[in-house]
């Protein structure tokens, strides 16, 4: 209903109604009814187009809704937040947006930002409680409440919650908020389109007023002058521009979602084709994020290559067991899953059960930017406590207080493992006999136990995607927290161009000038902390690059927001990262980024084709509407004829061009200039050439018909049929910027087939069904006229196709 009401305010509808009213005043009831019917058809087509866009946006809103991890039947599942139901066991993790109200039954350092409800930005601490739960939910804002609220943000820790209320029954639902709304906006595109519409509308209004005055003063018939003015106004009114923009952006976002890419902001579609630098992380984006332990190495030098079916040597089992103890008991991270999997295999090979089965995890020391290691304190049951740690080799060396010789030996072993493309972790162990755990893991007396190398296979799509980036003029930069040698090995395998490698420590020591000197030739940033990504983005932007940046964590949000295109990981990414980004990869695959760039370039190309076609097709329509006033011909086109043409033009713009396949060179040309106009001068000039050629051809045909003595109704038929066929020719010419006419015709496009079939069916009906011909003031044509018509249409098509080869339209060639 809202769409229907909006359509009733459309200027084209107002002109159709005004024309019907004038025909009614002239006593021509048939013409008035036909215009009323066309007004209804116009409303119907517009409503269908708008509804199509709304359905696409609705599907995108479902994709963009916050996600949730729930435990159902003992299995963790990742589902859309809107599918959470009362009674679900909800897993809360740092960076997640809470999808529903619920009671907390387990809290491990859990803190939430409840400012959405309270206005207070200080995070509040959560505690756990046990069933039965209180009948009334508490109010938000206090520490140690065992209750979480929908829409709030987990800023630290983890926990489990039993869902109590969803949707309108939640606290945020009661105050009418909605967090699942998808922002679909393209400010620069809409500004350019509005400028075009205003320009055409101003010219159309002036021409309409002039036509009415000329007709009224010269022929002394103001009502017919008003009809002529309405016809001219309809011919110049560019109502297709905003419709095409809305449909293309909505359907473009939907097309991206079909390749597992969510465009949260439609403005991103326009920017995709301008990306010059693509910053990507390694794990899970270039690689499959399916970790498996490939090598174990003890401090004194012995190493073991781990094979899927081989028995793990006894001397290496303690190293694997320590890695398992330093991981979450119920792992979710692929790296920790690898430790559990190999540890379970070791139990199957051992002659006795695992001795750690009865131990209890007493305290956790999480990963810290100042110490890239995780430590877990375990109670063994006999009063003793054991601490297991895993982390970056240099962090483990610091924890173990290794001397220079031992540190150098560890570094050499880690470099050798990393050169194979392995992710290297150090393992350490400590004993603790105190009662209360110390505040820092540095307070334990750790002993170095060895190195573990984990293999994460490259995604199959990456090498080809890298090749496409190179051919498209896009510079790829890897940003990873991994070891520099590991990053180099993966970069070589992926096909990333050779360049400088900058570590996080080196980056921290650089000033803006030094970073600016390095930024263009650096291809790998290793051992980078998430907050350092913002420095990299700022430096690239300062160098004049258009930056795409990937990220998945809470700390990635600033860099995602600062980049021209923020790309969040949909699988492993946090809701905070998703909300800060403009693009979400639903499968976390680097190949999907390149696919998105390809689709984005295609969408923008097709948008330009449609806009160029609209300008070109309005020129002959306007010429036929005004020529009779200037040269004394009878009025050939009335509002009814213009309205019928719009029934052809609208579907052509929103269906035919929108579904056109990509140009052959779409990924073999440099990125589009970010400030380039939607309709550059070359495209405007080309549209004017097309329109002027069509006007000249139809004028020549009109003069030939006039000299040949055709009656007014036959002239009208001849000119209108010629206009329809030339419009179809303009579609064929504008379908491709770089492909020949023959190839363009052979390319499949079901929407084009439907439009062409409809046009020729209409011509046949108007030619051979007298009531229809009479309603349109047409008269049947002979074979001579159809031959002349076909010759003119074919000549226009071949001439424009020849001229097109020498024109570079917006860098598309």
């Amino acid at each position: 209903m809202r769409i229907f009401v909006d359509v009733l305010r459309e200027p084209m509808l107002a002109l159709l109604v005004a024309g019907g009213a004038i025909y009614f005043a002239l006593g021509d009831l048939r013409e008035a009814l036909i215009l009323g019917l066309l007004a209804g058809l116009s409303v119907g087509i517009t409503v269908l187009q708008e509804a199509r866009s709304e359905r696409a946006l609705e599907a995108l809103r479902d994709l963009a809704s916050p996600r949730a991890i729930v435990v159902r039947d003992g299995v963790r599942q990742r589902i859309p937040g809107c599918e959470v139901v009362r009674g679900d066991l909800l897993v809360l993790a740092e960076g997640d947006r809470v999808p529903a109200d619920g009671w907390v039954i387990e809290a491990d350092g859990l803190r939430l930002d409840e400012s959405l409800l309270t206005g207070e930005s200080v995070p509040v601490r959560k505690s756990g409680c046990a069933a039965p739960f209180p009948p009334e939910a508490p109010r938000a804002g206090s520490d140690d409440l065992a209750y979480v609220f929908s829409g709030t943000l987990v800023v630290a820790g983890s926990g489990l919650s039993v869902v109590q209320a969803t949707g309108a029954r939640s606290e945020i639902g009661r105050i009418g908020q909605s967090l699942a709304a998808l922002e679909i906006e393209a400010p620069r595109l809409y500004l350019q389109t509005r400028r075009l519409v205003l320009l055409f509308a101003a010219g159309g209004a002036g021409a309409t007023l002039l036509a009415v005055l000329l007709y009224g003063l010269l022929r002394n018939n103001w009502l017919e002058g008003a009809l002529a003015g309405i016809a001219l106004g309809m011919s110049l009114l560019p109502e297709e521009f905003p419709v095409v923009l809305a449909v293309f952006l909505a359907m473009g976002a939907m097309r991206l979602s079909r390749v597992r890419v969510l465009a949260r902001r439609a403005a991103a579609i326009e920017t995709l084709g301008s990306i010059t630098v693509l910053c990507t992380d390694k794990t899970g984006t270039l690689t499959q994020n399916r970790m498996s332990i490939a090598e174990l190495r003890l401090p004194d030098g012995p190493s073991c290559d781990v094979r899927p079916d081989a028995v793990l040597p006894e001397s290496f089992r303690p190293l694997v067991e320590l890695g398992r103890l330093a991981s979450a008991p119920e792992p979710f991270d692929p790296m920790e899953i690898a430790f559990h999997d190999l540890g379970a295999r070791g139990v199957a090979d051992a002659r006795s059960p695992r001795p750690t089965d009865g131990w209890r995890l007493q305290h956790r020391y999480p990963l810290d930017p100042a110490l890239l290691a995780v430590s877990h304190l375990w109670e063994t049951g006999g009063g003793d406590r054991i601490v297991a740690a895993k982390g970056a080799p240099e962090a483990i060396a610091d924890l173990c207080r290794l001397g220079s010789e031992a540190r150098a030996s560890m570094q050499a072993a880690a470099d050798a493992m990393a050169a194979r493309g392995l992710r290297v972790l150090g393992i350490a162990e400590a004993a603790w006999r105190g009662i209360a755990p110390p505040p820092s893991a540095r307070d334990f007396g750790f002993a170095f136990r060895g190195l573990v190398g984990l293999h994460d296979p490259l995604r199959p799509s990456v090498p080809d995607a890298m090749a496409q980036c190179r051919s498209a003029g896009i510079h790829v930069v890897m940003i990873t927290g991994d070891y520099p040698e590991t990053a180099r090995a993966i970069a070589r395998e992926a096909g990333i161009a050779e360049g400088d490698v900058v570590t996080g420590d080196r980056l921290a020591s650089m000033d803006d000038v030094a970073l600016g000197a390095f930024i263009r030739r650096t291809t790998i940033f290793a051992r980078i902390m998430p907050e350092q990504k913002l420095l990299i983005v700022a430096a690239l932007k300062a160098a004049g690059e258009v930056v795409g940046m990937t990220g998945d964590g809470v700390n990635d949000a600033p860099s995602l927001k600062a980049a021209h295109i923020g790309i969040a990981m949909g699988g492993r990414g946090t809701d905070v990262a998703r909300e800060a980004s403009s693009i979400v990869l639903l499968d976390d695959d680097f190949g999907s980024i390149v696919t998105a760039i390809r689709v984005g370039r295609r969408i923008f190309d097709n948008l330009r084709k449609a806009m160029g076609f609209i300008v070109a097709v309005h020129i002959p329509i306007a010429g036929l509407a005004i020529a009779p006033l200037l040269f004394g011909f009878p009025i050939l086109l009335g509002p009814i004829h213009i309205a019928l043409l719009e029934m052809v033009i609208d579907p052509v713009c929103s269906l035919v061009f929108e579904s056109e396949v990509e140009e052959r060179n779409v990924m073999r040309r440099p990125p589009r200039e970010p400030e380039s106009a939607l309709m550059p001068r070359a495209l405007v000039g080309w549209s004017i050439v097309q329109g002027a050629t069509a006007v000249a051809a139809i004028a020549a045909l009109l003069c030939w018909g006039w000299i040949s003595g055709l009656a007014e109704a036959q002239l009208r038929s001849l000119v209108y049929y010629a206009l329809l066929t030339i419009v179809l020719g303009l579609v064929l010419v504008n379908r491709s910027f770089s492909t020949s006419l023959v190839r363009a015709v052979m390319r499949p496009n079901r929407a084009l087939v439907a439009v062409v079939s409809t046009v020729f069916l209409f011509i046949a009906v108007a030619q051979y069904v007298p009531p229809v011909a009479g309603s349109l003031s047409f008269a049947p044509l002979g074979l001579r006229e159809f031959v002349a018509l076909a010759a003119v249409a074919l000549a226009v098509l071949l001439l424009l196709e020849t001229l097109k080869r020498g024109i570079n339209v917006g860098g598309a060639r």
Side-chain angles (χ1 to χ4, degrees):
M1 184 56 67
R2 178 188 58 79
I3 296 173
F4 180 77
V5 172
D6 288 344
V7 170
L8 293 180
R9 295 198 293 263
E10 287 292 325
M12 182 63 72
L13 182 65
L15 289 174
L16 285 171
V17 172
I22 293 173
Y23 275 121
F24 186 77
L26 290 171
D28 195 337
L29 183 60
R30 184 183 63 181
E31 294 284 347
L33 289 175
I34 291 175
L35 276 185
L37 176 63
L38 290 176
L41 284 174
S42 176
V43 170
I45 288 176
T46 307
V47 168
L48 285 174
Q49 289 172 328
E50 290 286 334
R52 187 171 181 235
S53 301
E54 287 294 324
R55 284 195 299 272
L57 297 183
E58 194 64 39
L60 293 173
R61 289 187 185 105
D62 290 341
L63 287 174
S65 70
R67 299 153 309 139
I69 299 176
V70 297
V71 180
R72 292 176 176 172
D73 299 325
V75 179
R76 290 191 180 202
Q77 304 176 30
R78 187 180 294 272
I79 63 174
C82 56
E83 294 181 9
V84 171
V85 297
R86 182 172 179 171
D88 271 339
L89 185 60
L90 193 64
V91 180
L92 303 174
E94 182 179 332
D96 287 348
R97 184 76 68 179
V98 179
D101 293 5
W103 293 101
V104 179
I105 60 171
E106 183 180 312
D108 183 11
L110 187 61
R111 290 179 176 271
L112 277 82
D113 177 359
E114 296 182 345
S115 57
L116 190 68
L117 296 172
T118 65
E120 297 293 333
S121 59
V122 179
V124 294
R125 185 173 58 249
K126 295 295 178 182
S127 61
C129 68
F133 304 119
E136 295 293 331
R139 301 284 297 180
S142 301
D143 276 328
D144 293 321
L145 289 178
Y147 199 82
V148 292
F149 299 90
S150 175
T152 57
L153 180 65
V154 181
V155 296
S158 59
L160 294 174
S161 167
V162 177
V163 175
Q164 181 73 13
T166 63
R169 295 180 181 272
S170 66
E171 184 68 22
I172 198 172
R174 292 192 188 99
I175 58 177
Q177 299 291 334
S178 173
L179 298 179
L182 177 67
E183 298 176 10
I184 297 294
E185 55 178 13
R188 199 169 67 86
L189 274 181
Y190 280 129
L191 187 62
Q192 292 184 2
T193 306
R194 192 179 302 119
R195 208 173 289 144
L196 283 172
V197 170
L198 289 175
L199 182 65
F200 272 78
T208 298
L209 182 61
L210 180 63
V212 173
L213 290 174
L214 285 174
Y215 205 100
L217 293 174
L218 297 178
R219 302 193 184 186
N220 199 28
N221 193 332
W222 292 95
L223 277 177
E224 289 191 8
L227 285 174
I230 287 173
L232 183 58
M234 290 173 66
S235 69
L236 292 173
L237 188 67
E239 95 287 350
E240 297 94 352
F241 282 146
V243 172
V244 164
L245 183 62
V247 170
F248 270 57
L249 291 180
M251 295 307 298
M254 197 64 198
R255 287 186 185 279
L256 285 173
S257 74
R258 289 174 186 152
V259 294
R260 308 294 294 160
V261 176
L262 171 63
R264 296 187 66 252
R265 300 178 181 92
I269 295 173
E270 123 182 64
T271 314
L272 276 171
S274 302
I275 289 178
T276 59
V277 174
L278 187 54
C279 300
T280 175
D281 58 357
K282 177 181 73 68
T283 304
T285 306
L286 298 179
T287 62
Q288 297 179 26
N289 203 22
R290 294 177 180 173
M291 297 281 190
S292 61
I293 295 176
E295 183 179 351
L296 301 170
R297 192 178 291 245
L298 298 179
D300 53 356
S303 64
C304 169
D305 288 336
V306 180
R307 292 181 174 83
D309 300 324
V311 176
L312 192 66
E314 191 70 35
S315 58
F316 289 93
R317 285 179 186 160
L319 184 61
V320 177
E321 189 65 18
L322 284 171
R324 186 187 69 83
L325 291 173
S327 303
E330 295 182 6
F332 195 67
D333 182 271
M335 189 164 51
E336 298 189 338
I337 291 173
F339 277 104
H340 278 265
D341 288 347
L342 188 57
R345 210 174 84 199
V347 170
D349 297 334
R351 287 170 289 184
S352 59
R354 181 188 286 128
T356 61
D357 285 346
W359 294 7
R360 185 179 73 86
L361 180 60
Q362 182 184 2
H363 193 75
R364 307 182 193 196
Y365 296 90
L367 197 70
D368 186 273
L371 182 65
L372 298 177
V374 175
S375 303
H376 287 173
L377 176 62
W378 290 86
E379 288 184 357
T380 64
D384 294 335
R385 294 174 177 84
I386 285 181
V387 188
K390 71 176 191 306
E394 58 268 29
I396 295 298
D398 289 341
L399 280 178
C400 298
R401 300 175 178 86
L402 295 182
S404 57
E405 186 176 338
R407 191 182 289 263
S409 176
M410 174 200 272
Q411 186 75 31
D415 285 347
M417 297 170 73
R420 296 175 52 193
L422 301 180
R423 182 168 188 173
V424 184
L425 294 179
I427 304 293
E429 179 185 14
W432 176 255
R433 293 185 177 275
I435 298 174
S440 170
R442 296 180 186 274
D443 297 326
F444 296 112
F446 279 105
F448 177 53
R449 295 299 184 225
L451 298 173
V452 177
L454 295 106
H455 177 59
D456 188 6
L458 198 71
R459 289 183 182 268
S461 62
V462 168
D464 179 62
M466 287 294 176
Q468 291 187 55
C469 284
R470 286 194 297 272
S471 66
I474 300 170
H475 178 54
V476 179
V477 175
M478 180 197 291
I479 302 176
T480 177
D482 218 333
Y483 206 66
E485 289 301 320
T486 305
R488 278 195 184 97
I490 294 297
R492 282 194 297 270
E493 187 181 356
I496 294 177
E498 293 286 339
D500 290 341
V501 179
V502 174
T503 63
D505 290 341
R506 188 179 177 189
L507 181 64
S509 66
M510 289 182 179
D511 57 18
D512 292 344
V513 176
L515 182 56
F518 269 97
I519 200 70
R520 286 187 182 274
R521 61 175 188 262
T522 300
T523 56
I524 299 173
F525 290 90
R527 280 291 188 251
I528 296 295
M529 300 303 295
E531 54 269 22
Q532 290 181 309
K533 286 186 176 183
L534 185 59
L535 295 175
I536 298 170
V537 170
L540 287 169
K541 290 173 71 175
E545 306 288 355
V546 180
V547 185
M549 167 66 75
T550 67
D552 58 7
V554 177
N555 291 334
D556 291 333
S559 60
L560 290 173
K561 205 160 192 177
H564 296 98
I565 294 282
I567 305 168
M569 302 298 109
R572 69 182 190 275
T574 62
D575 284 330
V576 174
R578 285 161 57 98
E579 290 169 13
S581 66
S582 46
I583 294 287
V584 177
L585 301 185
L586 300 179
D587 56 6
D588 296 0
D589 188 351
F590 179 83
S592 296
I593 304 177
V594 180
T595 301
I597 293 172
R598 175 186 290 274
V599 174
R601 289 187 175 192
R602 166 193 168 182
I603 291 167
F604 198 84
D605 280 354
N606 288 346
L607 186 57
R608 275 185 166 171
K609 293 172 189 176
M611 293 295 188
F613 169 78
I614 291 170
V615 174
V617 81
H618 275 275
I619 293 174
I621 297 174
L624 285 176
I626 201 170
L629 299 174
L630 299 177
F631 301 107
F633 291 119
I635 300 296
L636 298 176
L637 298 186
I640 184 174
H641 305 107
I642 306 294
L644 282 171
L645 273 172
E646 295 294 338
M647 301 298 148
V648 174
I649 295 170
D650 277 355
V652 164
C653 294
S654 59
L655 296 177
V656 175
F657 285 112
E658 194 278 328
S659 58
E660 271 300 313
V661 300
E662 66 200 34
E663 297 288 321
R664 288 181 302 167
N665 65 345
V666 69
M667 292 299 284
R668 295 199 302 272
R669 62 181 192 242
R672 179 175 51 83
E673 289 294 329
E675 297 304 318
S676 63
L678 177 59
M679 288 196 67
R681 291 180 180 177
L683 181 58
V684 173
W686 172 231
S687 298
I688 292 173
V689 167
Q690 293 179 79
T693 304
V695 167
I698 296 174
L701 190 63
L702 174 60
C703 291
W704 173 83
W706 180 266
I707 294 170
S708 300
L710 294 182
E712 179 181 330
Q714 287 182 303
L715 276 179
R716 184 174 290 109
S717 300
L718 180 65
V719 167
Y720 198 74
Y721 297 162
L723 182 57
L724 282 174
T725 52
I726 286 176
V727 165
L728 294 181
L730 294 179
V731 174
L732 295 176
V733 169
N734 286 280
R735 282 187 69 191
S736 175
F737 291 136
S738 58
T739 303
S740 68
L741 178 63
V742 175
R743 290 186 177 179
V745 170
M746 294 177 65
R747 268 192 334 214
N749 189 320
R750 288 182 294 179
L752 177 61
V753 173
V755 169
V756 171
S757 301
T758 302
V759 167
F760 282 109
L761 178 62
F762 168 78
I763 292 175
V765 170
Q767 173 74 7
Y768 298 111
V769 180
V772 174
S775 300
L776 298 172
S777 300
F778 285 174
L781 298 178
L783 179 61
R784 184 186 62 160
E785 287 77 29
F786 273 114
V787 169
L789 187 157
V792 166
L794 183 61
V796 169
L797 179 60
L798 295 177
L799 176 61
L800 291 177
E801 184 64 23
T802 303
L803 293 174
K804 185 179 73 173
R805 296 176 183 274
I807 297 177
N808 183 4
V809 184
R813 294 179 65 86

